[in-house]
Amino acid sequence: MTTTTKTMLDQQLKRARLVSSIAATVISLACGTNYVYSAWAPQFADKLHLTTTQSNLIGLAGNLGMYSMGVPVGMYVDRRGTRPPVILGALLLGLGYFPFKAAYESGTGSVPLLCIFSFLTGFGSCMAFAASVKTSALNWPHHRGTATAFPLAAFGLSAFFFSASGSVFFPGNTGAFLMFLSVGTFTLTFLGFFFLKVYPRSSYHPVHSGPALSSSQQLRRTLSEESKPQAGRSFVDGEPGMSPTVYTTPSGTTAPALSGAMNELVGSSSSRDVSPPRRSNDVEAASAGTAQEDIDETSSLVSRSSSLPGDVYVESSVDMDRSHRIDIRGWALLKSLEFWQLFCIMAILAGIGLMTINNIGHDVNALWKYYDKTVDDTFLVHRQQMHVSILSVGSFIGRLLSGVGSDFLVKVLKASRVWCLALGSVIFFIAQLCALNILNPHLLGFVSGLSGLGYGFLFGVFPSIVAELFGIHGLSQNWGFMTLSPVVSGNVFNLFYGKVFDKHSIVNDEGERTCPDGIDCYRDAYYMTLGACAIGLCVSLWTIRRQHHQRLKEAKRTAED
């Protein structure tokens, strides 16, 4: 292949990957709509004469679909590729939101059924979002952090996008806004499906280690005798992403084809050449001097293991860190104290954030109706959407700051990433203090803004912490287990908020529930979350201290060896 041809092919692949990344970002924009619930929940509850507790149950069902399905969705994406989950997610989102529009227009609806439909919206979001993030990571293995930052940021800005659009195009019209959610989420995800695709890599880096290598050694991907396919194992050439290549590690265990940095394996003359399958429907680089890495949609987000004598291979510096040298999952994960420390932190802080995310609309209604008796529903809807937007932007900023900040902590200060969780606890603590003391609804933005910022800090750094402590090989599975914690804590905090709010509410002659007590409508709930923040901070500091002692012990053992 000539240099000009190779350059043109590289440019075509780059453009194709950019289009796929844009599609992943657009899909992610439709996947964070569970966080826009507060923008329409109060009006929906008033129209159907629901209590605050019943309203929170519906919102919690959406969170349940989003968080509890992480493990099975991750397994499905790994098995079937990234495209089928996107189309399924689009259908679930559209079918999930439409019944809410119908129930609002009719003024009646079964709470259990509404919870099921809310669960479907969360389930659909989980499927499409997992597929979009994985596709971005697979397409850009050398720039994975940047590539995945865009869909992650779009997910955080989803609530802002839909609430801002609703306030502009459907001001005060909750029914039209619900229809917009149904059509908008389906359309964005469905259109993104046609452009979301994993593309193979076409470039290579020759290895220069020790004596000069022969051309045949530089141009081949090889496996040692130790890693030859065993009897019965086959490499099937099928649709992209449907049949991962399997390699055997030096210990004899198998690992799926991985999508980390390119590993051009250099073998001896006794090694057996393995040619990657060619796919006619992918953009290919066909050359005698190019070793194409077979990356597909079922590849894990890590790099291939080498089984060559001396581990002579090329890899990115990210593959040399601790996350690529350990693999803790399953029962070993559940036996780990670090897992339970992080599980508690996630449960506490995510539960606190979800309580405000799901109920900021009720906070707005309670404070404004107490502060100004003349406000109407249109004004209140606008204010609810404004605070949902503030939450969303705060989450977006928190995700960016914690991602960059955690890298700074590790690389420059040689400190633990868990300090970002400690800072998130402090931010949540300040947010709860604001919620307990702000009487003027014009200042309620401090509550929504700080809550979004703390929530973003939590989710922006947590996956990196999980990968660092337990290994990147089982990240999808381990992260799925970790996200089960908000299911528990979110229920506790949100149901307690509902009980507190209902305790202060009264029912008028028309059957509508209102709370005339202002800040007292929800103050007791924030006292509980204030105490939870203190516990979360203590657990974070305990985790940091334990990690520090463990690293000192590891350094001592290394020095002795």
Side-chain angles (χ1 to χ4, degrees), residues 495-551:
L495 291 178
F496 184 74
Y497 181 100
K499 293 294 183 182
V500 171
F501 203 95
D502 288 339
K503 181 180 179 181
H504 292 271
S505 299
I506 58 174
V507 181
N508 60 23
D509 296 336
E510 298 177 355
E512 295 180 352
R513 257 176 209 279
T514 59
C515 182
D517 298 337
I519 194 174
D520 290 332
C521 293
Y522 54 80
R523 177 176 272 165
D524 289 345
Y526 282 97
Y527 275 125
M528 183 181 70
T529 53
L530 183 69
C533 286
I535 297 174
L537 179 60
C538 290
V539 177
S540 299
L541 296 176
W542 174 35
T543 304
I544 293 170
R545 183 173 181 273
R546 191 171 186 278
Q547 285 184 2
H548 178 68
H549 285 302
Q550 283 185 328
R551 288 174 181 172

Side-chain angles (χ1 to χ4, degrees), residues 131-208:
S132 64
V133 171
K134 182 172 182 179
T135 300
S136 295
L138 290 175
N139 276 332
W140 306 95
H142 294 290
H143 308 281
R144 189 176 300 146
T146 302
T148 56
F150 285 97
L152 286 170
F155 182 86
L157 285 175
S158 178
F160 168 75
F161 171 77
F162 279 93
S163 61
S165 299
S167 63
V168 172
F169 298 108
F170 315 105
N173 192 338
T174 302
F177 181 67
L178 288 169
M179 190 65 186
F180 173 58
L181 284 174
S182 178
V183 175
T185 54
F186 172 80
T187 302
L188 290 176
T189 311
F190 183 73
L191 291 178
F193 165 80
F194 295 101
F195 303 96
L196 190 76
K197 189 175 182 181
V198 175
Y199 293 92
R201 294 193 57 80
S202 66
S203 59
Y204 79 101
H205 298 282
V207 177
H208 300 289

Side-chain angles (χ1 to χ4, degrees), residues 249-270:
T249 62
S251 61
T253 59
T254 61
L258 307 171
S259 71
M262 253 184 357
N263 299 328
E264 300 302 330
L265 305 181
V266 181
S268 63
S269 58
S270 63

Side-chain angles (χ1 to χ4, degrees), residues 98-139:
F98 184 77
F100 285 97
K101 188 264 183 186
Y104 183 82
E105 295 295 342
S106 65
T108 59
S110 167
V111 173
L113 279 178
L114 292 174
C115 286
I116 292 174
F117 290 122
S118 181
F119 178 88
L120 292 181
T121 64
F123 190 16
S125 297
C126 182
M127 295 187 77
F129 182 60
S132 64
V133 171
K134 182 172 182 179
T135 300
S136 295
L138 290 175
N139 276 332

Side-chain angles (χ1 to χ4, degrees), residues 92-103:
L92 290 176
L93 282 166
L95 293 175
Y97 277 117
F98 184 77
F100 285 97
K101 188 264 183 186

